[in-house]
Amino acid sequence: MTKIDWYILRKFIGTFIYSLMILLVISVVIDITEKVDDFMNNNLSLKTIVVDYYFGFIPHIAALLFPLFIFISVIFFTSKMAYRSEIIAILSAGVSFRRLLRPFWIGAFLFAGLLWLGNRWTVPNANRIRTKFENTYIHARDEGHTMYDKTTRIDSFTYVTFGSYDPNYHSGSNFVLERVEGLNMTLKIRADRISWDSTQKKWRLDYVSLRRIKGLKETWWSKQDTILKLTLTPKEMEEAKNLQEAMTTPELDRFIAREEIRGAEGLNIYYVEKYRRTAAAAAVVILSLIGAIIASRKVRGGSGLHLALGIVISATYIIFLQFSTVFSTKANLNPLLAVWIPNFVFGAVAIWLYMRAPK
């Protein structure tokens, strides 16, 4: 590391922190204007809003826009260096363009590692604070309502259906349990009412009938009530929003493994979140390289042209990411491929720009 390397790296870090603070303030102001009515309707104090919500919201929005913050920062300070002919002076001194990119690589990998660690532990814990607040005060009117015809798969062979379920009282009606092995149903349990017994940690069934089928032989019995142990708890019945964002990566891995054992469907959204945490860190490196190559050329439009180009590229990246994510969650596109498609595309763009950059 030479003085020039440290000079560029200091500008990289300083500009990023400066732009991050500005954009976070803008994001918080916009969020406050959207939620001020909810804050006032719930008579929340300033301390409650800051500690119980914005301590979680700020890390969330910072991690979400982290690669774009990096990209804009690189565009901004590199463009200013090019406008002042500093890049030309460095190259004229015999420094190769590849050597010039060294501090950009170092800064990019430094921030990528920071984002990768944050996405695995810090940001999920912050999202836990944010989602708890939103579910309590912002989405309170949508939560806790009775659910109808809710079917859940609890293992590879067993399905349970609640005709209705009230999450406030942990009870439901018209309960049906079916065990299907291959093409044959081997067990069917019906109950007029089901409720959670918090002392035994089991479900209590009322007015129960059971059919057990083995080949051509069938047995049937009924009881007034009985206790049934299921690998299903009232907490799992709650339809929490953005659950995957509030789990650390080890927790997410355990959740996916458990749901796969159950044979659950619709896990792509959890896989997308898992792979996105690493892909976002890789995007920091790719976008930093693109920004450095684009902004290092001195052009007539100066910093304004570079920033405009940077905004266009940022918007294109977001569109690519949103399209691929939707295709994964709605159309069964491989989740790993979905989150990495933007990186593959922009990685190819970075290589092409580097090959065409004046050396």
Side-chain angles (χ1 to χ4, degrees):
M1 292 286 288
T2 63
K3 288 185 178 180
I4 293 177
D5 293 325
W6 284 112
Y7 173 74
I8 295 175
L9 188 59
R10 281 197 300 269
K11 279 186 169 294
F12 192 164
I13 297 173
T15 306
F16 170 71
I17 294 174
Y18 177 73
S19 62
L20 179 66
M21 296 301 295
I22 291 177
L23 292 173
L24 284 180
V25 169
I26 295 173
S27 300
V28 169
V29 170
I30 293 173
D31 189 70
I32 289 175
T33 58
E34 291 180 349
K35 295 185 172 64
V36 64
D37 289 339
D38 296 299
F39 296 156
M40 296 179 66
N41 290 337
N42 289 283
N43 296 319
L44 300 176
S45 66
L46 179 62
K47 180 181 178 182
T48 301
I49 295 171
V50 173
V51 175
D52 294 344
Y53 179 61
Y54 282 105
F55 276 13
F57 174 80
I58 291 175
H60 162 74
I61 198 68
L64 184 66
L65 300 177
F66 199 95
L68 304 184
F69 290 156
I70 289 287
F71 184 58
I72 293 174
S73 300
V74 171
I75 288 279
F76 185 73
F77 85 83
T78 308
S79 179
K80 289 184 66 176
M81 289 180 62
Y83 184 73
R84 293 196 296 258
S85 299
E86 294 179 35
I87 301 293
I88 296 174
I90 294 172
L91 295 176
S92 300
V95 177
S96 67
F97 187 72
R98 185 168 68 176
R99 176 64 182 80
L100 174 66
L101 292 177
R102 178 185 292 180
F104 291 95
W105 283 108
I106 293 173
F109 277 105
L110 175 66
F111 284 120
L114 183 65
L115 178 61
W116 184 78
L117 291 173
N119 277 339
R120 290 177 66 87
W121 288 286
T122 307
V123 177
N125 287 323
N127 282 333
R128 198 168 296 167
I129 298 172
R130 178 181 61 86
T131 54
K132 180 181 178 181
F133 181 92
E134 289 180 342
N135 290 335
T136 303
Y137 299 110
I138 309 301
H139 306 306
R141 287 169 290 184
D142 301 327
E143 301 295 328
H145 285 185
T146 301
M147 295 175 283
Y148 297 95
D149 296 325
K150 181 175 178 61
T151 300
T152 304
R153 189 173 182 177
I154 60 175
D155 60 40
S156 301
F157 308 103
T158 309
Y159 299 81
V160 295
T161 301
F162 291 78
S164 65
Y165 179 78
D166 189 338
N168 296 315
Y169 297 98
H170 302 159
S171 63
S173 62
N174 298 326
F175 171 81
V176 178
L177 181 147
E178 298 173 320
R179 173 163 292 181
V180 181
E181 300 181 15
L183 299 177
N184 301 315
M185 181 183 296
T186 59
L187 177 68
K188 186 167 187 175
I189 300 175
R190 287 181 176 273
D192 289 350
R193 179 175 172 79
I194 182 171
S195 57
W196 175 251
D197 190 330
S198 58
T199 57
Q200 300 187 55
K201 305 298 182 184
K202 296 179 183 178
W203 293 93
R204 178 185 177 87
L205 307 182
D206 297 319
Y207 305 104
V208 189
S209 65
L210 180 146
R211 291 173 57 203
R212 193 180 297 276
I213 307 167
K214 188 174 183 181
L216 298 176
K217 187 177 181 180
E218 179 179 338
T219 57
W220 177 89
W221 58 257
S222 63
K223 293 182 69 174
Q224 183 75 14
D225 59 72
T226 188
I227 297 295
L228 182 64
K229 184 177 182 181
L230 298 174
T231 56
L232 182 70
T233 64
K235 185 177 181 180
E236 294 172 333
M237 290 290 293
E238 296 176 5
E239 296 182 337
K241 296 182 179 180
N242 301 321
L243 177 65
Q244 71 281 4
E245 295 180 1
M247 289 188 282
T248 63
T249 299
E251 291 172 344
L252 189 58
D253 288 336
R254 289 193 295 269
F255 177 85
I256 292 173
R258 186 189 69 190
E259 293 301 305
E260 283 184 335
I261 292 174
R262 288 182 171 182
E265 299 176 354
L267 292 179
N268 273 12
I269 188 173
Y270 298 97
Y271 278 112
V272 166
E273 175 64 21
K274 175 183 176 180
Y275 298 137
R276 183 198 63 80
R277 296 177 180 184
T278 301
V284 168
V285 178
I286 295 170
L287 292 177
S288 296
L289 181 60
I290 293 176
I293 295 171
I294 291 176
S296 62
R297 292 183 87 172
K298 186 176 182 180
V299 294
R300 188 180 298 272
S303 300
L305 180 61
H306 286 149
L307 286 174
L309 187 59
I311 292 172
V312 171
I313 293 176
S314 301
T316 307
Y317 177 84
I318 293 174
I319 291 172
F320 261 94
L321 183 60
Q322 290 299 322
F323 265 103
S324 59
T325 301
V326 169
F327 274 118
S328 176
T329 55
K330 304 296 183 181
N332 291 324
L333 176 66
N334 184 283
L336 181 61
L337 180 62
V339 297
W340 279 91
I341 283 177
N343 287 348
F344 291 149
V345 173
F346 282 83
V349 171
I351 295 173
W352 181 77
L353 289 173
Y354 176 77
M355 298 300 293
R356 291 180 57 85
K359 307 299 192 294

